[in-house]
Amino acid sequence: MKKSQTLLTSLTTVGSWTIISRVFGFIRDIFIATFLGSGPVAEAFLIAFSLPNMFRTFFAEGFNLSFVPIFSKKLRDKKAAKLLAEQTLSYLLVVLIILNILAQFIMPWLIFAMASGFYFDDRFELAVIYTRITFPYIMFISITALLSGVMNSIEKFAAAAAAPVLLNVIFISALTLSNYLNWDTGLSLAWAVPIAGFSQMCLLWYTASRAGFILIPKFSPLNPELKRLFRVALPAILAGGLIQINLLVGRQVASYHEGGIAWLSYADRLYQLPLGVVGISIGIVLLPNLARKLANNDLQGSQHSFNRSLEFALALTLPAAIAIIVISEPLISVLYERGAFSQIDTANTSAALVIYAFGLPAFVGQKILQPIFYARENTRTPLYFALMAMIVNLVLAVGFSPVLGYLAPAVGTTIASWCMVILLSRGSRKYGLAVQIDNRNKKILPRIFLSAILMGLILYVTNIFFDMLPNDIINKYFRAIMLIVIGFLSYICIGQVVGGFKLKQLKNYFKN
């Protein structure tokens, strides 16, 4: 293999494609909000899309957390690594085919489990129809995830990071065509899901083939290596399942409040931008990086990777979280408020977004701390922690529902995420040097926090000033752009002054 890329180079690759994907994702959501608002078709489709995504967490993301470290360690023998991937693919296909057939028969019960509040109106039948169309997406995206794990392990991140762009482009195309050709918008969106999944799979299959990994399913009896993989994978899959139970509880609560699922979904999309660019990107890059270094018993290198990832994450996440809290309503208004999306929708979506923003550093923190366990093939400890966090979320989401309504799931998710970070942080102490905060971070992290707080104060004052301006369409867009520019420039300048970071030193931050 070629000499390892720096973490910064890898993060830049993944982050750049994630930003592009999120931009197209916003365009997609703007279209959905414009055409459907928070009405029954929008909510039915959001449930139809979330169900295969829920199972994706089991068979794609959860499984990959175990597959990547084991596959990365086998790359010294490319033939053995390829055989492991092919055998894994064969078993994965069998499970996915059975799941797809079974799901088609029990779809009404699955929808009831996802959003029982739909049962009393037209949303239920629409959700069943749409989900029967979208569900095969789980097969395509799970194969895509396995291929992504292969590519990430050999430090070729671009194709896997670019694949979500295809999804959003196909969604936008479906919405545009449905508008001009008078197609049913809900059905057009539903059919776009499996088409997008198949396209993503083809992209990764092609790039993996060019990298020398033409994966052909090879069925074989369970050998000790596969048994070890599945034994390690099971807790990770179950942990992903617990996360989905958290989301399921939130959807159930929100389904009893008209518009609740749509408002939470639109808010989720916005806070997913910094989470995807920073948290998920770091998780994707850091896991194979740690696995390789631990395989070589390089504890100093592991500590360096952990600390630089933590520094990079907080430098981007803290200002993003504070900015979202301060200017959430102007952002939501500019992005979504048009067509069927009203000012009431803006206010309700904004309220949910603020709550999610308080948990953003915790969401990102999980992505940094979890690879510490998974790189050592320890998937059980994160499972236990996820179970505790799920209980916290369940109690808060259901308990606060009579008082907070559709906002209760957001409160539960945010507090549970902080509980999870605390548990992961305490649990990682047994790994010693590899997860210790180094002297550089002890000096820099407080200054990053100070820079973000001061930026937030500047945005707060600026936002009050803009409240005095006439509230017409021109000023709405001008206001949002200026707030973003002022926030960005003030954070950069303050960070330079207080020593939170030095832009000229950025290229040296992540050298291996």
Side-chain angles (χ1 to χ4, degrees), residues 5 53 73 87 100 155 171 217 237 254 276 289 292 298 341 359 386 389 411 424 445 456 464 507:
Q5 304 178 63
N53 270 311
K73 293 171 185 176
Q87 292 172 331
N100 268 274
E155 297 189 349
F171 270 41
I237 292 171
N289 182 280
R292 284 192 302 272
D298 182 7
F341 199 93
V411 172
L424 287 169
L445 294 185
I464 291 176
K507 64 180 180 180

Side-chain angles (χ1 to χ4, degrees), residues 313-323 360-361 445 448-450 452 455 491:
L314 291 180
L316 296 180
T317 303
L318 285 175
I322 291 173
L360 183 56
L445 294 185
I448 290 175
F449 181 76
L450 175 62
M455 177 217 67
Y491 177 66

